Amino acid sequence: MSEETRFGLEQPFFLHGGDYNPDQWLEQPEIIERDFELMDKANCNTFSIGVFSWTKLEPSDGVFDFGWLDNILNLCEKHGKRVFLATPTGARPAWLGNQFPETNRILKDGTRARWNERENHCYTSPVMREHAARIVTRLAERYGNHPAVCGWHISNEFNGECFCPLCLERFHNYLKDKYKTLETFNQAAWAGFWSHIYTDWSQIDPRDCTLDLLDLEWKRFITVCTVEFMKLETDIIRTYSQAPVTTNMMGFYNGLDYWRLAEACDFIADDCYPSWDKEEPLKVGARVAMSHDMHYAMKNKPFLMMESCPGRPEWCVRKMRRAGEFEREMLLAIGHGADGTMYFQWRKGRGGMEKFHGAVVDHDGSNRTMIFKRVADYGAKLKTLAEIHGAAIQADCAVISDWESRWALMSTFGFQGAPGQEKENDMPLRHYSALWGCHVSIAVIEQVCDFSKYKFLIVPSLYMLKKGVAERLIQFTEKGGTLILTNMTGMVDENNQAILGGFPGNGLRKFCGVWNEDVDCPDPGEQTVMLNGFQLNERNSFPVTGRCEIIHAEDADVLATYGLDFYKGYPAITRKKAGAGYVFYIAADLDEEVLTAFYKLLLMNLKIKPLLPGLPDCVRVAKRSKDGHDYYFVQNFSNELQHLSLSGKMMNIWSGNAKGNKIYLGPGESTILRA
Ligand code: GLA
Ligand code: ZN
């Protein structure tokens, strides 16, 4: 491998491979030999190695064995396979957890967990940090320049929290650093409530739900701790290796603010396990596409789908995917900016709780299974796509999905349990999904991102406004952007304290000409919205699906009103011109179909065209561009044959059909067109 093609995603081809655990097969070298034959047959080029191999690398405290890994990495080099070498801190050896019980977490109820399972070490324990640093140093020294190592996979799916005295003390220091004095903290936390004024930092218990700032700060703190632990590892690696580092995220996992973790990564990697048979394929697809669009937006660069399942995960009894569905899932990632798709796992183990988890190589050990063939076929196709590798995504439209705002809303009493209540990413997802149905490229961003590169910005239920965000939303609109605000916008500040002077706060009330007086949570079907003088999908009345804000249009045009009950006739959707742009306020929760129709109308007015015209409703498209070429990933999310008529000169990248203006997509099928 030449120097310039060694690193991470910076390869001239798409990465394809998976988690490979040869450490579990050392007693059967013939299996490992066979693996390398099968890897070529499966068209796989890249593997994550050593994710859970601490106990094989350091069988007892300070006793190391790298021989087997030397051998595996050399085999990888010999066979031209790239490796993301993992640091093994995701699972501690038994000796570590038992000799040093302080590395086990203290749970919420105050009891110390026993050593078991994985991804459950205390991030603060000095013993844990020392041991982690030592094994990572050994790996980095030894393999930092190994020609097969193209990147580093730090730990595994960081998650969870620890309430040990050391972590709590660190939490108190974190608060002290941030707020300086207890008086300031007491004010920020509204601590007079239920007589909670603290007189010593040590009295602050993050498990006390009385003050909702506590939970918010604890979550911020857990993110800080996790990032610090990751940095402990990456700082060491960077001393010895040029190869980029990453860690595998889990979509919109609520426990960590992934934008902060992203800052510690050189490129983004994500694990993705959609349940295609649990919901409508388009619903699942939206969730997955949204996650991909966020992972691309985090660095505005291609990311890696580090884990996906080639078969069926063992943790849920599930239908098998059809061949088209499998390829659709993979190409959904590539279309939305992945420069590689990998699997958990390469080969099924013989024991342990994941022994029946889908894998490329099954227990029969052959290349004859349906899953293996699918993987190999897809891998072969991926090779033909090398020209698209590294291609960029250009989005005029963006949707905000913000961790801290979501945390604040979820921890606020009064909105929990209501219809339309926030569950993780629900509201942003609904709006994303509606916009996805307009066939445009979308960036999924957080509230502190730069808005200036977009023309159309949807801000679903941005409950918490960080400093300066309202001003930037106003600026975005006045310079010509179209801004969509929805109910629950701008209600609290960064301390989760209600903003005074009428919602939406921080100047947004005046800006959008709307005052949100109160919020009603009717049951589905109990309220409707009536459009004023226009139609969507040839209708002018729609049921509300959840929250209804009682708003007043103080200085805005009323586009729709409520149809029933005591607030019949009150505004439900408004619009106001602001400088060169428009701000819309959607006070009622509406279903995706209405939102799609509404957004289609707005985009048409803005001259933001669909990526491809005339697509059937159940087809989705993503676009990547490189060297003057545009590539369209067109995917059928239905179980019926779809017929597409395209204008312009398009070439089907696989069939080479240059006419290209008539295309048939079989059930679940995907294709790629080049313009
Ligand atoms: C996660 C983990 C893997 C494996 C898979 C199973 O993504 O990172 O180690 O356990 O789940 O689906
Ligand atoms: Zn701890």
Side-chain angles (χ1 to χ4, degrees), residues 36 58 81 97 136 149 180 219 226 243 271 281 285 328 376 426 439 470 572 599 626 651:
F36 282 90
E58 191 179 358
K81 305 299 172 207
V136 173
V149 175
K180 310 291 184 237
K219 289 197 162 71
T226 308
D271 297 347
R328 184 179 67 198
D426 283 0
H439 308 299
Y599 292 153
K626 186 181 164 186
M651 191 179 98

Side-chain angles (χ1 to χ4, degrees), residues 451-452 454-455 457 470-483 507-508 510-512 576-583:
F451 309 143
S452 64
Y454 308 108
K455 295 181 182 144
L457 176 60
E471 289 79 353
R472 289 193 302 110
L473 291 173
I474 295 171
Q475 228 176 54
F476 162 82
T477 315
E478 288 177 343
K479 286 195 171 152
T482 294
L483 178 67
L508 292 182
K510 182 156 179 275
F511 165 65
C512 59
K576 187 184 171 187
K577 181 144 184 54
Y582 283 97
V583 52

Side-chain angles (χ1 to χ4, degrees), residues 52 118 156-157 248 271 273 307 315 344 354 357:
F52 301 112
R118 61 172 178 178
N156 195 59
E157 294 188 341
N248 44 349
D271 297 347
Y273 292 89
E307 285 182 28
W315 37 264
F344 182 88
E354 288 178 342
H357 190 289

Side-chain angles (χ1 to χ4, degrees), residues 1-13 15 36 45-47 72-84 145-151 243:
M1 259 174 274
S2 73
E3 268 306 300
E4 63 274 19
T5 58
R6 263 193 54 196
F7 298 121
L9 299 177
E10 315 270 310
Q11 321 255 358
F13 50 80
L15 306 186
F36 282 90
N45 52 34
T46 308
F47 295 88
I72 295 291
L73 291 182
N74 293 342
L75 278 172
C76 287
E77 188 198 352
K78 184 172 141 207
H79 292 269
K81 305 299 172 207
R82 309 312 198 254
V83 174
F84 288 114
N145 294 307
H146 194 288
V149 175
C150 73

